Amino acid sequence: MVPSIKERPLPCWDRGGARVPSPISFCPAESLEWTCLPGSRVALGPGLACPLGNTAQAVVAVAVRPWQQHSVQRMSQALERPEGCWAWVVLLASLVIHGLTLGFPTCIGIFFTDLQRDFQASNSETSWFPSIQTAMLHAGGPLCSILVGCFGCRVTVMLGGLLACLGMVASSFCRTLGQLYLTAGFITGLGMSFSFQSSITVLGFYFTHRRALANALASMGVSLGITLWPLLSRYLLEELGWRGTFLVFGGVFLHCCVSGAIMRPVATSMAPETRKGLPPPSKTPAPGCPAACSRAIQRHLAFDILRHNTGYRVYTLGVVWMIVGFPLPHIFLVPYAIRHGVDEHRAALLISIIGFSNIFLRPMAGLMAGRRDFAGHRKYLFSLAALLNGLTNLVCTVSADFRVLVGYCLVYSVSMSGIGALLFQVLMDIVPMDQFSRALGLFTVLESISILIAPPLAGFFLDISDNNFSYVFYMSSFFLISGALFMGGSFCALRKKERQGRQAEGEGAITEAALEQTLTVEGTDGSKKQVYTEIMYVTSL
């Protein structure tokens, strides 16, 4: 128990500041404050000695209170307002974080053959490395939400950068695939999750009216990352090998800490509103560990939103199904091209073509999605982008010529830019902003399950089919096309149902008013009244 603070002066000093005869007097253990000068008190721990002279009084009286006032003033000055000038600096930092985190898994395919050769592993075993890393990138959402609630977005982003650096540095010394799963997969993936999801959350507070544009511009960082990571990876792989390359990547991830330092707190009324969607803490202590775990899950995972919000349920299930096929081209396109005789440099260039095209396409998609004309149709545009992405992957099953693959990358970039620009914006449209953090946590956890099983499943098909990559692209197209059709059809059905519900409510209200409305007409003699029921015919418009 913390001892109570008493404001009475201790025997060490009196109210006027006169010193007692004893040269050293110890404060009683039950008191935490002593009076130095009139109106100034300083906290002490139990059993600490009081100062010895008037010089100490002057130092404490002059130094303590101005420092406290200055710290409060600094805190108020550090708060930023939304849609202000500093919001665009934060947007730039978020763009860098997107490029470092979401762009990095796309270059893993360049190391696929070297890792498979050095560890003497199969396609399925090697695929677990990018699978674990990308899954942790999305599954860390609930833990990231807890850290953001406790320490804020700035600290969480910087912590993520340190973890990602530590994981990549440790992975350069790995001797087995299991160690690589733990370091570059689990630790680095978790660090990237902290940085990425915190940068998404902070954009929701800094931008209100231009939120769609901000999300699209931030996702440009993914395009830059997809463009630069493969080129840097190929160069470093030839010069340093994959171990030296991973060591350098550890230093690159430290830039997340620099970007996180820019994300100052926001002075907005939305910050406390994020707590409205959370269940109030219980005043009685939890009976045990299961109850505490249940309360934590309820607080940080939006299972209640999943049950009651039909749009969120449809969108989450559709994306989870679709994501099984979405990351496969990023991992297997380079090995597929190399196996069919494409030079390694040109094969790595294919991923860069996708990223470079997205630099221009994602802002256009964000601007289009941000228009008021498309505000109610973003979820349909997202479904259309997923459908186009799945149909595009069928091109790789027809030909592996380099010129054909370049055309495939250009068309693929169009659909990928739509998915990247709309993925989180559609979620913000479906779920209120005060519940977005919880909804995003559950959304990314379920998404990570699909990401975890997708590459090993594709690797299994490669192993049983003697490295026939056509099965990988068939699998990718199937999940993308079926997921897009499910989301598009479900959203159309929900919209039709909502219209019918609103129409029925309007007709019911008008009919009820018509039945209750009567006309009272006074007789000619003024002594009798005749009541007539007004009949109204209600038709649907």
Side-chain angles (χ1 to χ4, degrees):
M1 295 296 293
V2 179
S4 60
I5 296 176
K6 298 183 179 180
E7 297 185 1
R8 62 177 176 81
L10 300 182
C12 309
W13 306 91
D14 60 16
R15 291 281 185 184
R19 178 181 165 188
V20 295
S22 176
I24 298 180
S25 300
F26 286 88
C27 305
E30 67 272 9
S31 299
L32 291 179
E33 292 188 349
W34 51 275
T35 303
C36 296
L37 287 176
S40 63
R41 290 185 298 274
V42 180
L44 281 181
L48 294 181
C50 297
L52 300 179
N54 293 327
T55 303
Q57 298 182 36
V59 170
V60 174
V62 171
V64 173
R65 181 172 292 177
W67 180 86
Q68 293 175 346
Q69 294 175 354
H70 180 62
S71 64
V72 174
Q73 186 178 12
R74 286 173 56 196
M75 179 62 70
S76 62
Q77 291 176 352
L79 296 177
E80 297 291 336
R81 58 186 179 88
E83 301 285 351
C85 297
W86 195 255
W88 300 101
V89 181
V90 173
L91 176 60
L92 178 62
S94 181
L95 183 146
V96 173
I97 291 174
H98 276 64
L100 292 175
T101 55
L102 286 188
F104 178 71
T106 58
C107 74
I108 298 299
I110 295 176
F111 305 98
F112 195 90
T113 304
D114 293 83
L115 294 174
Q116 191 176 13
R117 181 182 64 250
D118 287 0
F119 291 111
Q120 296 297 313
S122 63
N123 289 295
S124 180
E125 292 173 341
T126 310
S127 299
W128 278 105
F129 159 52
S131 173
I132 294 174
Q133 184 182 85
T134 313
M136 289 307 303
L137 174 59
H138 294 79
L143 183 56
C144 177
S145 177
I146 296 174
L147 293 176
V148 168
C150 295
F151 305 105
C153 294
R154 170 191 272 182
V155 175
T156 307
V157 170
M158 298 175 72
L159 176 63
L162 290 175
L163 282 178
C165 170
L166 176 64
M168 292 308 299
V169 170
S171 66
S172 63
F173 301 97
C174 291
R175 298 299 176 186
T176 63
L177 265 180
Q179 296 174 354
L180 192 68
Y181 295 160
L182 176 63
T183 54
F186 182 83
I187 298 178
T188 300
L190 189 63
M192 292 192 301
S193 173
F194 290 167
S195 297
F196 161 65
Q197 299 197 35
S198 300
S199 66
I200 286 288
T201 304
V202 78
L203 283 182
F205 293 118
Y206 266 98
F207 292 90
T208 55
H209 302 294
R210 300 186 181 94
R211 187 173 294 161
L213 177 61
N215 284 323
L217 292 177
S219 65
M220 278 181 57
V222 184
S223 308
L224 290 171
I226 295 174
T227 303
L228 299 178
W229 275 116
L231 300 178
L232 179 63
S233 300
R234 172 53 57 186
Y235 173 77
L236 293 177
L237 183 62
E238 293 179 350
E239 297 294 329
L240 305 174
W242 69 267
R243 295 185 184 274
T245 303
F246 281 13
L247 187 64
V248 173
F249 285 170
V252 174
F253 275 116
L254 286 177
H255 288 80
C256 290
C257 300
V258 180
S259 301
I262 296 175
M263 298 178 178
R264 299 196 292 218
V266 188
T268 173
S269 58
M270 293 180 63
E273 288 179 2
T274 56
R275 303 179 180 269
K276 292 183 180 179
L278 305 179
S282 176
K283 295 182 179 180
T284 59
C289 183
C293 294
S294 175
R295 190 169 56 185
I297 291 174
Q298 183 182 4
R299 182 177 179 86
H300 296 286
L301 293 179
F303 285 105
D304 55 337
I305 304 177
L306 188 66
R307 288 194 304 267
H308 300 104
N309 191 330
T310 308
Y312 177 68
R313 183 164 61 248
V314 168
Y315 186 65
T316 302
L317 294 178
V319 171
V320 167
W321 181 263
M322 179 201 78
I323 286 297
V324 176
F326 182 70
L328 298 183
H330 303 153
I331 299 175
F332 293 99
L333 179 60
V334 174
Y336 168 67
I338 293 175
R339 182 172 177 81
H340 287 82
V342 179
D343 182 69
E344 293 183 358
H345 291 277
R346 302 175 78 184
L349 186 63
L350 293 173
I351 300 295
S352 298
I353 291 174
I354 296 176
F356 184 76
S357 302
N358 271 261
I359 295 176
F360 307 99
L361 292 174
R362 289 209 181 198
M364 296 174 58
L367 289 172
M368 182 180 297
R371 293 177 58 88
R372 293 183 179 180
D373 302 339
F374 295 99
H377 304 282
R378 294 190 185 108
K379 48 184 174 288
Y380 304 108
L381 293 175
F382 178 82
S383 302
L384 182 62
L387 179 63
L388 178 61
N389 192 275
L391 294 174
T392 305
N393 289 332
L394 295 176
V395 175
C396 293
T397 64
V398 178
S399 174
D401 184 72
F402 179 74
R403 290 172 295 180
V404 175
L405 292 180
V406 169
Y408 157 77
C409 291
L410 293 175
V411 180
Y412 182 87
S413 300
V414 177
S415 58
M416 181 182 174
S417 63
I419 293 175
L422 294 171
L423 180 63
F424 296 105
Q425 180 60 43
V426 173
L427 185 61
M428 289 181 181
D429 293 340
I430 295 175
V431 179
M433 192 59 201
D434 60 341
Q435 299 177 356
F436 177 74
S437 180
R438 299 172 60 229
L440 180 64
L442 180 61
F443 181 81
T444 52
V445 166
L446 297 178
E447 193 180 33
S448 67
I449 298 175
S450 301
I451 296 175
L452 182 64
I453 65 175
L457 182 61
F460 172 75
F461 283 127
L462 286 177
D463 291 334
I464 65 176
S465 63
D466 194 20
N467 290 331
N468 188 351
F469 283 86
S470 297
Y471 289 99
V472 174
F473 292 98
Y474 278 128
M475 172 183 166
S476 176
S477 298
F478 168 74
F479 283 100
L480 283 162
I481 294 173
S482 57
L485 294 176
F486 167 75
M487 286 187 290
S490 300
F491 284 134
C492 289
L494 288 176
R495 186 177 183 181
K496 183 178 180 181
K497 186 177 179 180
E498 289 177 0
R499 285 182 176 178
Q500 293 177 349
R502 288 196 299 265
Q503 182 179 355
E505 290 178 0
E507 292 178 356
I510 296 175
T511 305
E512 184 178 356
L515 294 176
E516 293 180 353
Q517 183 176 4
T518 58
L519 295 178
T520 303
V521 181
E522 186 176 356
T524 56
D525 57 354
S527 60
K528 295 182 180 180
K529 294 182 180 179
Q530 296 178 343
V531 179
Y532 297 91
T533 303
E534 181 180 347
I535 301 176
M536 298 180 63
Y537 296 93
V538 181
T539 57
S540 59
L541 300 178

